[in-house]
Amino acid sequence: MTHRVAVLAGDGVGPEVVAEARRAVDALDVAIEWTDLPWGSAYWHEHGRMMPEDALEIVRAHEAILMGAVGDPSVPDHVSLWGLVLDLRQRLDLWANVRPARLLEGIPCPLAGRRPSDVDMLFVRENTEGEYAGVGGRAHRTLPDEVAIEVSVFTRTGVERVLRFAFEHAETRRGLVTSATKSNASRFGYVLWDEIAEEVAADHSGVRYERVLVDALAARMVRAPDSLDVVVASNLFADILTDLAAAIQGGMGMAASANLAPGADVPGLFEPVHGSAPDIAGQGVANPAGAVWSASLMLDALGEPEAAATLMAALEHVCRDGPRTRDVGGSATTREVGDAVAARLA
Ligand code: NAD
Ligand code: IPM
Ligand code: MN
């Protein structure tokens, strides 16, 4: 069976890392038909929008979307991101953003004395509402009393489904769910979140549940990453915590993610956690590991677990033995790392 995959390479280093992920997948024994979607900041300059009006229908005709990153200094970030990735997450209702944070062997960890066995966390990020619901407005523009209102939205449905998903993952791992909250200061949304977490925990007696204030959790990730298993958090909290997690994994270039709508017949969106990295774009030095790892998550979702595992093993092998890009202590180019992964698979 041939899988139809849409490729949204995007901006900056996006096309550079996606090319290597795609080459790695092509070296596997799976049939993929790729569709290149030329959407992003260049498309915006030409058409005045980040993607065409029928974008949803186009992506829905595929089983998965492999994405690089979007964002370019020539387009306001809230325009490019809301015009593409945030819009796709919301309108496809990709409510679970799964971000594995594992330190791979051979990759230097910035935390003194930490080894790969100490860093194996799984972040489950609420992905369609919360602080990124997109609700709010501005008034009295440019006047002294100008006002901007940004409203967080927490629904019982949205919170419960992502918490259940996190607990189900914990059952297959080390059996701990840490729920990030800030219900001491924000009295409504996170209090509802905590109440639902208690209810869901009661349904999962085999899983240990703890509620941790997000500020303390950030410190604990640095002091004791080995004390964490599954971390479930709201959209904003998990966004911030997974950049911290990426750093603990060796850097932004290492981290992978899967945007999923579990149980629904819509394409998942698979992308590295990093952005378009304009500071290094065009130099051929971006680390493709996060994109390759995301492609492995994609193969899993496509029902190709063996290919997913083979790809992940090849990536782990290359991280251990090199070549590595400079962000993780090597001097190789993006292409050389991609070549090495593909060579392992050939
Ligand atoms: P960023 O992740 O692009 O870069 C942060 C730092 O990490 C930079 O120093 C960069 O060089 C480094 N880095 C990122 N990816 C790397 C890789 N593969 N290999 C080596 N180093 C890497 O974050 P930013 O600078 O805050 O954002 C840049 C642009 O990307 C903005 O427009 C932002 O809105 C956008 N963005 C997009 C996405 C997405 O499309 N999913 C995600 C995050 C940021
Ligand atoms: C991420 C990114 C996005 C987010 C941005 C680009 C909107 O930072 O995927 O982590 O915050 O979700
Ligand atoms: Mn982010």
Side-chain angles (χ1 to χ4, degrees):
M1 183 197 154
T2 300
H3 299 288
R4 299 195 66 203
V5 175
V7 183
L8 247 170
D11 302 325
V13 299
E16 301 172 34
V17 296
V18 159
E20 303 312 322
R22 186 168 157 171
R23 226 146 53 82
V25 173
D26 281 334
L28 289 159
D29 192 21
V30 261
I32 307 266
E33 187 189 318
W34 306 98
T35 310
D36 284 296
L37 302 175
W39 307 342
S41 295
Y43 188 95
W44 184 85
H45 283 294
E46 202 178 318
H47 303 276
R49 45 190 307 143
M50 292 295 289
M51 45 185 190
E53 263 176 83
D54 57 350
L56 260 278
E57 285 134 63
I58 294 170
V59 296
R60 276 214 184 92
H62 296 81
E63 277 177 80
I65 308 163
L66 183 64
M67 195 182 125
V70 282
D72 186 85
S74 68
V75 184
D77 273 343
H78 67 277
V79 171
S80 55
L81 279 312
W82 270 104
L84 209 149
V85 65
L86 294 171
D87 195 49
L88 288 176
R89 287 176 185 163
Q90 272 200 355
R91 290 207 286 156
L92 292 171
D93 199 22
L94 301 171
W95 50 268
N97 191 326
V98 179
R99 299 185 158 187
R102 212 149 52 79
L103 174 64
L104 303 188
E105 243 170 85
I107 301 298
C109 179
L111 302 182
R114 289 299 180 185
R115 300 191 22 78
S117 56
D118 296 323
V119 181
D120 180 5
M121 301 173 277
L122 183 79
F123 287 80
V124 176
R125 172 184 182 185
E126 198 295 309
N127 212 34
T128 56
E129 55 174 47
E131 309 87 344
Y132 294 180
V135 175
R138 288 176 66 173
H140 314 309
R141 284 184 189 246
T142 74
L143 298 178
D145 61 348
E146 181 167 8
V147 56
I149 295 172
E150 186 91 36
V151 181
S152 290
V153 176
F154 289 90
T155 66
R156 178 169 279 278
T157 306
V159 173
E160 184 172 341
R161 65 187 179 179
V162 78
L163 281 160
R164 289 203 180 277
F165 184 76
F167 275 83
E168 283 156 20
H169 267 285
E171 278 169 343
T172 69
R173 292 175 47 100
R174 299 192 301 282
L176 171 65
V177 167
T178 303
S179 172
T181 188
K182 192 65 198 177
S183 51
N184 53 352
S186 292
R187 297 182 287 174
F188 307 109
Y190 303 126
V191 174
L192 174 66
W193 177 287
D194 293 351
E195 287 170 9
I196 297 171
E198 292 286 343
E199 293 168 21
V200 174
D203 291 341
H204 296 82
S205 53
V207 175
R208 211 150 44 84
Y209 158 71
E210 58 174 359
R211 171 167 60 101
V212 179
L213 294 167
V214 67
D215 41 359
L217 181 55
R220 181 163 145 201
M221 282 173 62
V222 173
R223 302 296 310 188
D226 53 327
S227 72
L228 295 164
D229 179 15
V230 175
V231 177
V232 61
S234 66
N235 217 331
L236 171 67
F237 290 170
D239 182 28
I240 298 168
L241 294 178
T242 53
D243 265 38
L244 174 56
I248 295 171
Q249 278 177 272
M252 286 313 299
M254 293 303 303
S257 83
N259 301 264
L260 305 170
D265 186 23
V266 293
L269 170 65
F270 302 85
E271 48 168 347
V273 171
H274 66 75
S276 54
D279 55 334
I280 57 165
Q283 299 174 24
V285 297
N287 187 347
V292 172
W293 193 334
S294 301
S296 170
L297 298 176
M298 178 183 84
L299 290 166
D300 242 328
L302 289 174
E304 303 282 0
E306 276 174 33
T310 304
L311 178 54
M312 199 57 210
L315 175 64
E316 293 192 47
H317 193 282
V318 170
C319 288
R320 190 170 60 237
D321 294 356
R324 296 177 207 94
T325 45
R326 67 187 190 194
D327 54 305
V328 285
S331 58
T333 63
T334 310
R335 180 84 200 192
E336 284 163 350
V337 174
D339 282 342
V341 174
R344 290 291 316 165
L345 298 168

